[in-house]
Every structure is written in C-alpha cells, then in structure tokens.
Amino acid sequence: MKIFKASKSEEEKLIEGCIAGKRDMQRLLYDLYAKKMMVVCLRYASTSFEAEDIVQEGFVKVFSNIQNFKRDCPLEFWIRKIIVNTALKHLRQKSLLTVSHETEEVENLSSGNYNLNDYSMDELLGMIQSLAPRYRMVFNLYAIEGYNHKEIAEMLGITEGTSKSQYSRARAILQNMLVNQDKQYQENVISKQ
Amino acid sequence: MSSANNKEYGELEQSMWRRFQDAEAMPDPDVWSRIEHTLVIQENAKYKKRLLFYRQLAAACFVLFILAGSALLMHFKQDQEHATLATAQREQTTINEADLPVTMPAQEQTIAAATPAKVPAQPEVTPSAVETIVSDELIYNAHPADEVKSQEPTYSLGNTIAANSTATIDAPQTTDMGTIAGSTKSSSTVIGGYPETAKGTIARQENYMPASQAIAAVPDSYTSPSAINPLLRRNATLGTYDTDKLATDNVNKPEVALALNTPGADNKQEKTAGSNSRWNLGMAYGSSYFDQNIAIPGYTITPPRIMIVPDPTVARQPPGPSISAESEENMRDARIEFEENTQAAMSFNVDVRTGFRIGKRLKLLSGLGYSQNSSKTKTNYIVEQFIFKPRTNERSKLQPTTVFLPSLHTFTTDSISVTKTKEPFDVDYSYQMLSIPVGLQVEGNLSQKWYWYAMGSTAVNFLMQTAIKAANPEISDVTYRFTDDSPFRRVHFSGNVGLGLGARISDAVSISFGPVFRTFFNSMLTDDNAVATQGRPYTIGLNMGINYKLDQ
C-alpha cells in the first residue's frame, strides 16, 4: 500500500472531509495513522487483539470528535492522545479483573548500558506487555509518552509517590528481563559452540 | 507531555523511546471494516434518535391538538346548550303566561336602564305621557302567549332592572285611565309592536281582566322587589328601597348588579377573586416517553488469546474471563441488538405543587412528585457467567442475565457463555423516583375563561427503585431499592420545561394541559459503573393538571 504523507493543506482537506463524514477521507486518515497507533496500542494492551480493539475504539472516537480538533497541535499528536486515553480507559476497566503482580519481589539492578537495537520490536513489545497493567501504564506514560509523575498520578487517580514506586518496579522488572534475555542468548551461543 | 523535555531519562528510557518513536505495526485489515461498521451503527442511531424525537413531538402535538379541539368543542357545545336551555325556559315562561290571568312578575320584565324608557305611541293615538311607573311598581304583561313570544328581542336585551328605573310610556289619549292602565301594561312590553292594542282593540282584551284589576290581583310576593332576590330582600328589611339612591350609589352598584345577575357583575367578581388569590394548590399528571439513554460498553470481555510473549517458557494468564469465539460473537450481536432495540416506553409522573403568586403573571411552584419511567428492549441473548471456587475449584453458575445487567458491572467471573434463544423476549426497565421540584410559571389570559402558561423548573429526584424484568423463565427479575448497592445513581437532577393552555371552570378551580419536556442533568449510571459513554435520560410527554386557588 502506498504510504500517504499528508502535507498541511492535504491534512486540512482530510480533516474537513472527516468532519463532513466522507468515508473515503476517513479511510485515508486511518491508513495514514493506523500503523503508528497500532504500536502505541500494542504497548498498552496485553494482546494484539486487544490492541486492535483499542485502535478500533480510538479511531471511532477520532471520527466522532474530529470537529472538536482545535488545530493547535499536530493532528497526529491529537489522535495519539485519544488513542492513549482509550487504552487507559480500557486497562482501567480490565485492571480489576486481572491478578495484580504488584506484590512480587523484584531485584533492583544497577542501571547499565542497554543496546535495545539487538532486540526485535516484537521482543520489546512482549517485554512491556508482560508487565502488570499498572506497571505497564506507568512505564508507557513516563518513559515513552513523556508525562511526569504528577500528570500520571492525575490521569490514573493515584498518588505521585505510587506512580514513582510503580515506575521503578516496572523499570526493575524490565531490566531483569533484559539481563535474563542476555544470559539466555549467551548460553545459547556457548552451547552452540 | 509538555514536561517531557525537562525530564532526565536513563539509558533504558532513551533507548526505548528511540525504538518506539517511529515504530509501526500493521493492524488487521479487518479493523477498518469494524470501524466502518461502528460508524454506520452510530450514524443510524443518531438518525433513529432524531426520528424518534420528531415522532414523539408529532405525537405530542397530535394529542395536544385533539385535546384542545375536544375542549373547545365541549366549551361551545355547553354554550349552545345554555342558549337552548334559556330559549326553552323562555318558551316555558311564555306558556305559563298564557295560562295565568296575571302575568310575569317584574323580574321577568325588561325596563330600559338609567334613562327613562320612552315607548313610542302608535300613529293613531296622540302620544302623551300617561303614566309614570316607578321601578318598584311592577308592570304586568297582559298579552296572550303569541304576542309575548313575538317580543323576544325585548327579553333578550337582558333581565336588567335599571336602578333608576323610571319608565315613561306614551299612551293613547283617547282611552280611559283604566284602559290605559291595561294598555300601558301591554304597551310596556309591546314596545313599538301592536297597533291593535293602541287602537283600543278591546275585543282582544276581553279575555283578560282589566289592568287595574290585574294589578290589584297580583300578590305582594310578585310585586315586591325584595322578592326578586335575597339582596333586595335584605335591603327591604333594612329600610326603604330607594332605586334612585341605588342608581347613584357606586358602592352598591356591584352588589345590585350581582343581585340582579347582570353580566358585568361576574366580570368584576372574577377579577376580584383573581387578584386576591396568592396561593394555589395544583395536582398534575403527565404521561410521557422516557429514554434511559444507557449505552452498553463496546468492549467488556477479553477472549483468551495468546499474546506476544518474549520468553516462550513464561506462561501468562489471559486477563479477563474466558469466552468461546461463538459466545464472543453472540456478545457482540447482543450489544448491537441492545443499541438497536432499546426504546423509550410509556411513563408517568404525578406532582402535587403549591404555587405562590410573586407577580402579576409569575408564580413560584414547589411540591412533591412521583414518577415511574420505563424503557424496554427485545433481546435474543442470555448471558451465563461461571466462577471457580477458590479452594475446591468447583465450577458454579451464576444466575443468567441479559447483556444489559452484566455490562453494568465489570466482570468478576472466570468464564462467560452467551447463548441465543429461539424466540426474542422482552426486557423492561423501570425507574421509580421521588421528586422535589422548584420552578416558575408565567401565565396570561387568552379570554375570560382560557389562559396560557409556560413553566420551567428544576427538580432533585431520588431513585427509589430500579427494576429489570425479563420475560424469560431462565432470567430472574432484578430490583435495586434506594438503600441497595446499585450501579444506578441515587440522586438525579433534572430540568423541566412546559407550556400549554388552561381553562377556568370556576373562580377557584382551573384545569390545564400541555406538552412537557424533562431532561436529566446526569446519566442513570454512576461514573464508576458507566463503562461506556452514557447519555442523559429525558422524557417527552403531555401534562394535565388541576389547580385550586386557596385564598379566595
């Protein structure tokens, strides 16, 4: 599929078309941003199916509310914000169902140099997805979306301290995973030799 | 996100951010078709809602039109009946007159008001002032029935006895006084009528006793004005009845007018009653259509699918209850079905309100109300939930429900089965509320009898009971009372607007009717339980009320 990069005026046409409810314009907008948003959703969701559900719900919200887009920020940023909020809402509903892993003890490792380029995207996503929902949310919001702990606390309805502690736990779990992965890789290499 | 630049990231965060910055993943091609499907459903729902609103508005207008038409028809029919009754009474009186040697008492006579009534003399007779009759001297009609009947216009001028009731009658000079007296009686009612009387066609009067005798024969009870009505009777007992004084005395005028049943008296009386009334009590009944506006969440359950796991040796528990593909499909259909089939249903509201007039046209209203709002749907799906007991690991089944009920709660079950029934069944939702409304009403007169009103009010509503009843033996009814742990809000705020017409059926009592619209300012479900975007419920209906003025 040809990748459609919208210029400013094209983006404006796209928005106007979506406001008018033109299905072809909605499809174009979807094609333009769906892939990026899918990765965002994969980071928050536990499964790719769940991520697709969030994408679906998020884009429906985008199309239903696009007339409210103030144009004071890039369209991609606005869509991303909606998708993130949808994902959070999704996880908030579901978090009551899942067994919390928050009590498990995690060994704190010293920060080291991580070359994540050695890991595939699926591996990285898998590591984030394997975190408990609360940790996953806080980690995504802080490390990747760039929110601070105060903002995260407001978004999730927790205290700033809780956000910080959950983030440090999530970070420690990920570090452990990376160390284990490295060990396993080295063992595999040694056994092959 | 504005603070992102100010933060210090470790190596891990920076690496992660770099990797995910421009990462892309292709979603399933099916996702777009699902989005498109949802958009189509949304558009249809919007269209359907608009259509429903216009349908209800049209229905309300139609009902209002029918009611207004019926009321007007009844009103005019009553007037017509009154007119017919009056004519019949007059005819009856005429017949009685024919039988009686002495005719009607003075109250049935018409005497011109204020200025002395000049009865034109007949051409053959030289007109001259013959006799002056003071109002308390009564004039008797000695005409036969047919003559009286032909004089209806004279009667229809009204049964008014003027306060200054001096009637000067020009009568023929040629007749003797006795005859004149008789003729006078005749001419006073004939007024421009029967030349044969003036001509002295005595033959016709042979059937009647002479006027002087007739006067003499009349009993006092007929001739006394105090006999006419109680007020005059009272005056008579108090002293001499002076009509001139009455005529000039403005204070007594309304009383006299009232006593004499003149139309002007009614007007003044009504005005006085209306202006003095500050408090009133009203009871209203409104039937309406209620839209509960509850949305079922688009996503409530997670199928147990295998996700991307970095380490295949690490086993992961799927989040949420497990559900088969068929059940998942059924669940989706059930949600769509709920959105499509849920309809506003017949509801009612009863209010008792006290009104206090705070201006010429403005009224402050408050009171107590009770409403029962209903909504209904037709469904094909039954939701069964299963849980495993923690220690024994036994699988137990919860009471089956419809998609509506489990969707109000977050699932806490281990597995869910959604089955489709052969025949669709009804599910009724009813909400009983106790309301305390406070509002303002503006009203104005359309006519002496009819008035218009427009009202606006706010109310605090306490949800006393919520009942969900399914017409399926497998599903038991659910009822939440005010004190129960319910997903519904206990306290709701609402706003009412309405307008309509009212009719005064007496000085104190009036009835009113008109369309009314009520919208709630919050959703039925509490925020914690609203897993999907909730709309605000509203009702459209027809209000009928009866008002009673307390301080007449």
Side-chain angles (χ1 to χ4, degrees):
Chain A
M1 188 183 283
K2 192 187 167 188
I3 295 172
F4 177 79
K5 270 282 181 204
S7 67
K8 195 83 178 168
S9 61
E10 282 170 334
E11 193 178 276
E12 196 55 43
K13 275 184 195 171
L14 211 57
I15 294 167
E16 291 302 326
C18 290
I19 290 172
K22 289 179 183 168
R23 197 68 80 225
D24 54 338
M25 290 294 174
Q26 288 173 337
R27 178 68 205 249
L28 268 176
L29 188 90
Y30 172 79
D31 287 342
L32 196 61
Y33 296 110
K35 289 177 193 168
K36 278 190 177 179
M37 297 310 139
M38 182 66 185
V39 175
V40 174
C41 295
L42 280 168
R43 279 193 284 113
Y44 286 92
S46 303
T47 67
S48 57
F49 296 102
E50 198 185 331
E52 281 170 0
D53 280 337
I54 299 170
V55 169
Q56 180 196 338
E57 203 180 322
F59 269 97
V60 168
K61 276 187 190 170
V62 166
F63 295 133
S64 306
N65 295 288
I66 198 157
Q67 69 276 7
N68 300 328
F69 173 53
K70 299 275 193 301
R71 293 157 175 89
D72 51 358
C73 63
L75 180 64
E76 185 184 335
F77 185 88
W78 184 73
I79 294 173
R80 193 189 179 98
K81 211 170 173 180
I82 288 180
I83 296 285
V84 168
N85 283 336
T86 309
L88 289 180
K89 192 182 155 200
H90 226 81
L91 285 170
R92 217 177 294 146
Q93 286 168 17
K94 269 184 55 199
S95 59
L96 297 168
L97 311 173
T98 49
V99 180
S100 173
H101 301 289
E102 291 175 22
T103 50
E104 67 190 48
E105 286 297 321
V106 183
E107 187 191 346
N108 279 317
L109 299 174
S110 59
S111 57
N113 290 331
Y114 302 99
N115 187 6
L116 298 182
N117 289 333
D118 293 343
Y119 295 90
S120 71
M121 182 57 69
D122 283 353
E123 282 174 327
L124 289 176
L125 280 171
M127 283 184 220
I128 294 172
Q129 283 175 340
S130 65
L131 290 171
R134 281 269 183 217
Y135 295 169
R136 200 190 314 149
M137 277 195 276
V138 175
F139 182 81
N140 273 317
L141 291 169
Y142 185 82
I144 302 168
E145 309 299 345
Y147 289 100
N148 62 32
H149 286 297
K150 196 180 173 187
E151 289 166 332
I152 295 167
E154 279 172 14
M155 287 166 87
L156 301 181
I158 54 174
T159 62
E160 205 175 325
T162 309
S163 173
K164 279 178 185 169
S165 70
Q166 285 186 343
Y167 177 73
S168 67
R169 276 174 178 276
R171 195 178 192 278
I173 292 168
L174 278 174
Q175 279 177 328
N176 272 333
M177 283 182 191
L178 289 168
V179 169
N180 287 338
Q181 288 276 49
D182 273 348
K183 273 185 191 168
Q184 212 171 19
Y185 177 74
Q186 280 166 8
E187 280 169 12
N188 285 342
V189 171
I190 291 163
S191 64
K192 276 181 186 173
Q193 282 175 348
Chain B
M1 287 191 204
S2 54
S3 57
N5 297 334
N6 303 327
K7 280 191 289 193
E8 285 182 18
Y9 288 99
E11 181 66 27
L12 180 71
E13 288 82 358
Q14 283 181 11
S15 303
M16 280 282 186
W17 186 81
R18 269 198 302 273
R19 285 302 305 271
F20 285 111
Q21 183 59 25
D22 290 315
E24 289 186 347
M26 191 70 185
D28 193 290
D30 189 41
V31 174
W32 169 250
S33 55
R34 274 155 56 190
I35 291 172
E36 203 175 9
H37 178 68
T38 314
L39 289 172
V40 169
I41 288 174
Q42 270 188 0
E43 283 162 8
N44 286 348
K46 268 185 199 169
Y47 173 75
K48 215 173 138 186
K49 242 177 193 176
R50 244 196 334 249
L51 196 73
L52 182 73
F53 174 75
Y54 287 125
R55 252 170 35 194
Q56 286 170 342
L57 196 68
C61 288
F62 177 73
V63 171
L64 188 67
F65 173 75
I66 294 291
L67 279 172
S70 311
L72 281 173
L73 198 72
M74 224 165 75
H75 172 70
F76 288 121
K77 224 174 175 180
Q78 270 177 355
D79 282 357
Q80 218 173 3
E81 275 170 12
H82 285 160
T84 317
L85 200 67
T87 314
Q89 277 174 345
R90 275 200 302 272
E91 279 170 5
Q92 183 64 40
T93 312
T94 310
I95 292 161
N96 292 342
E97 280 168 0
D99 296 338
L100 284 169
V102 178
T103 55
M104 296 164 63
Q107 73 184 70
E108 296 291 326
Q109 298 290 335
T110 301
I111 299 173
T115 53
K118 283 254 179 184
V119 180
Q122 303 311 316
E124 290 84 356
V125 181
T126 312
S128 65
V130 177
E131 193 179 350
T132 300
I133 303 170
V134 186
S135 63
D136 55 353
E137 289 174 15
L138 298 173
I139 303 162
Y140 292 92
N141 189 349
H143 276 284
D146 57 344
E147 280 184 86
V148 176
K149 201 174 175 184
S150 66
Q151 292 162 25
E152 274 178 12
T154 313
Y155 281 97
S156 66
L157 287 171
N159 301 326
T160 309
I161 297 174
N164 188 10
S165 55
T166 311
T168 308
I169 300 167
D170 295 344
Q173 278 182 325
T174 51
T175 49
D176 62 51
M177 278 308 285
T179 315
I180 289 165
S183 300
T184 305
K185 281 180 276 175
S186 302
S187 59
S188 66
T189 49
V190 170
I191 303 176
Y194 299 88
E196 65 267 27
T197 311
K199 276 177 187 170
T201 47
I202 308 299
R204 287 208 65 171
Q205 296 181 5
E206 279 171 3
N207 295 330
Y208 311 106
M209 67 178 77
S212 54
Q213 286 174 28
I215 290 169
V218 173
D220 279 350
S221 60
Y222 276 73
T223 56
S224 166
S226 61
I228 297 170
N229 60 54
L231 187 73
L232 296 183
R233 203 178 301 135
R234 190 196 67 189
N235 286 344
T237 53
L238 288 173
T240 314
Y241 179 66
D242 185 349
T243 51
D244 286 337
K245 194 185 175 216
L246 269 176
T248 50
D249 191 348
N250 287 332
V251 180
N252 287 340
K253 252 184 182 175
E255 281 192 346
V256 174
L258 177 69
L260 299 174
N261 193 26
T262 56
D266 280 345
N267 283 344
K268 282 221 165 156
Q269 183 66 16
E270 273 187 20
K271 272 183 191 169
T272 313
S275 59
N276 287 339
S277 295
R278 269 202 173 278
W279 288 94
N280 79 293
L281 189 70
M283 203 186 92
Y285 171 84
S287 56
S288 54
Y289 272 88
F290 171 77
D291 191 339
Q292 63 180 352
N293 230 353
I294 290 177
I296 293 279
Y299 191 97
T300 51
I301 48 176
T302 311
R305 287 164 175 155
I306 303 305
M307 64 297 298
I308 307 153
V309 180
D311 185 355
T313 57
V314 178
R316 296 271 319 281
Q317 283 291 318
S322 62
I323 183 167
S324 69
E326 189 192 349
S327 286
E328 192 192 358
E329 192 62 38
N330 282 345
M331 185 62 132
R332 186 165 292 152
D333 291 343
R335 285 197 303 263
I336 294 167
E337 190 189 59
F338 176 84
E339 293 292 340
E340 288 176 352
N341 288 354
T342 307
Q343 300 278 344
M346 193 64 186
S347 305
F348 70 89
N349 185 78
V350 185
D351 273 356
V352 180
R353 294 184 184 193
T354 309
F356 180 74
R357 194 177 284 281
I358 50 174
K360 203 174 175 185
R361 290 183 158 190
L362 205 61
K363 235 188 238 177
L364 182 72
L365 297 167
S366 185
L368 193 68
Y370 169 81
S371 62
Q372 182 167 309
N373 301 317
S374 313
S375 203
K376 60 160 86 180
T377 194
K378 230 176 188 33
T379 184
N380 274 297
Y381 297 92
I382 295 176
V383 179
E384 289 174 325
Q385 298 174 78
F386 303 90
I387 52 168
F388 286 98
K389 289 180 181 168
R391 290 191 179 172
T392 56
N393 215 20
E394 280 174 23
R395 193 170 185 244
S396 65
K397 186 178 156 185
L398 299 177
Q399 185 66 45
T401 64
T402 63
V403 68
F404 179 78
L405 202 60
S407 298
L408 301 182
H409 303 279
T410 313
F411 290 125
T412 52
T413 48
D414 298 302
S415 60
I416 291 170
S417 163
V418 185
T419 51
K420 190 171 181 177
T421 57
K422 282 179 186 171
E423 292 292 324
F425 58 94
D426 290 324
V427 184
D428 295 328
Y429 316 97
S430 89
Y431 307 93
Q432 291 173 20
M433 289 176 177
L434 211 60
S435 316
I436 301 172
V438 181
L440 288 172
Q441 182 167 304
V442 187
E443 54 187 46
N445 285 332
L446 290 173
S447 69
Q448 196 178 331
K449 191 172 179 182
W450 292 90
Y451 68 91
W452 61 265
Y453 73 88
M455 55 82 77
S457 67
T458 54
V460 54
N461 306 280
F462 300 95
L463 184 61
M464 302 310 289
Q465 187 173 297
T466 310
I468 303 149
K469 292 176 180 172
N472 187 306
E474 284 186 52
I475 300 169
S476 56
D477 297 341
V478 178
T479 305
Y480 298 108
R481 294 185 197 285
F482 187 71
T483 47
D484 291 347
D485 183 22
S486 155
F488 298 94
R489 259 179 232 283
R490 285 199 176 91
V491 181
H492 299 252
F493 291 93
S494 64
N496 277 31
V497 283
L499 50 89
L501 290 175
R504 295 184 186 93
I505 51 177
S506 78
D507 283 350
V509 183
S510 64
I511 52 167
S512 60
F513 55 89
V516 67
F517 175 73
R518 178 158 66 144
T519 182
F520 287 82
F521 299 139
N522 33 32
S523 58
M524 287 301 296
L525 292 170
T526 56
D527 292 335
D528 296 342
N529 289 291
V531 280
T533 312
Q534 302 296 307
R536 291 166 185 169
Y538 62 89
T539 64
I540 297 173
L542 193 71
N543 182 60
M544 286 162 281
I546 182 157
N547 304 296
Y548 183 79
K549 283 178 187 168
L550 288 173
D551 50 350
Q552 285 294 306

